[in-house]
Amino acid sequence: MPVLDIALIDASIGETPAQRNFERVTEAALTGFKVSEGAEPPTVTGPEAAFDAVIVTGSQCSVYEDRPWIHRLTEWAREAHAAGVPLFGICWGHQFLAQALGGRIVAMDDYELGYRAITRTTESRLLDGIPETFVAFETHSDRVYELPEGATRLAENDVGIQAYRLGRTYGVQFHPEYDMETARKVTRGKDLPAERIESVLAEITPETFEKARPAARVFENFEAIVTDAA
């Protein structure tokens, strides 16, 4: 498989390990764009397009917040989707792409935090090779309540939609790119009761991390989808 050039739309706030985590789980060449700090999204359509695909990261904010960079990124995402650019959103990115393309995102009553079970709901190349029920790390307090028109739900759990596809746009709510260090750091940073924090931390073990490893196959699958469609 040829090495792909992928634009990493980094929506995280402040200094985070986002790019390092994605570089660890993908064979593609990643170029980061810190859009939350004013970086302009890359050109991905037309003759000047320099990237084969786009990944949109997680973030500490909500997709429906009134932030200028979110508004600019929304218009960019709509143009990229309409042009058939392969887009892949993770957590915040999953919600952001759904919202940009007509879906609805709502706040939850609580965090979904820690390693959680997820069930595939239909066959999809994005989830090829991943068990019908699998484990992945979750950290979010918003969720996709309604998918954009024409989108297909690919996976879910008791909280809600965990993966979808709309044309060449994909999203997953979970974090297949997290290592144990990131999972622990994110958990400790939550404004939640100490008992719950300790309970989640106790589950971040090498054994649980190994159980969640198959979820990272989504990156290999996404790269194969991009390559085959080139």
Side-chain angles (χ1 to χ4, degrees), residues 26-208:
T26 177
E27 297 296 324
L30 298 180
T31 302
F33 296 85
K34 192 78 170 181
V35 292
S36 64
E37 296 182 358
E40 289 297 320
T43 299
V44 293
T45 62
E48 297 182 359
F51 296 96
D52 301 302
V54 175
I55 293 175
V56 184
T57 75
S59 184
Q60 301 94 313
C61 67
S62 293
V63 299
Y64 44 75
E65 292 181 20
D66 185 12
R67 298 185 183 227
W69 65 268
I70 294 179
H71 299 314
R72 293 194 298 270
L73 192 63
T74 296
E75 293 305 314
W76 174 89
R78 288 171 178 164
E79 292 176 5
H81 172 78
V85 176
L87 306 172
F88 187 19
I90 311 295
C91 193
W92 186 94
H94 155 96
Q95 298 170 14
F96 168 76
L97 291 173
Q99 176 178 271
L101 301 178
R104 181 183 172 196
I105 314 305
V106 299
M108 296 159 47
D109 294 332
D110 196 5
Y111 271 98
E112 183 176 29
L113 181 64
Y115 288 104
R116 299 293 306 277
I118 299 164
T119 301
R120 298 172 52 175
T121 56
T122 188
E123 290 299 315
S124 165
R125 286 196 65 192
L126 185 70
L127 302 178
D128 275 356
I130 299 174
E132 182 176 353
T133 297
F134 61 98
V135 174
F137 195 85
E138 305 267 7
T139 169
H140 62 106
S141 57
D142 296 322
R143 67 185 180 93
V144 176
Y145 182 74
E146 293 177 355
L147 285 171
E149 184 177 355
T152 300
R153 183 183 310 213
L154 306 180
E156 64 185 9
N157 67 2
D158 58 336
V159 172
I161 298 165
Q162 290 289 334
Y164 67 85
R165 175 191 179 188
L166 179 60
R168 301 184 75 188
T169 294
Y170 296 84
V172 298
Q173 181 61 74
F174 49 93
H175 279 280
E177 83 283 11
Y178 271 15
D179 56 13
M180 292 173 60
E181 178 185 354
T182 303
R184 289 181 180 128
K185 182 177 180 180
V186 167
T187 299
R188 291 190 181 104
K190 298 301 182 189
D191 184 15
L192 294 169
E195 312 83 64
R196 184 169 179 199
I197 296 295
E198 290 304 317
S199 175
V200 174
L201 288 173
E203 295 178 348
I204 304 174
T205 64
E207 293 76 17
T208 309

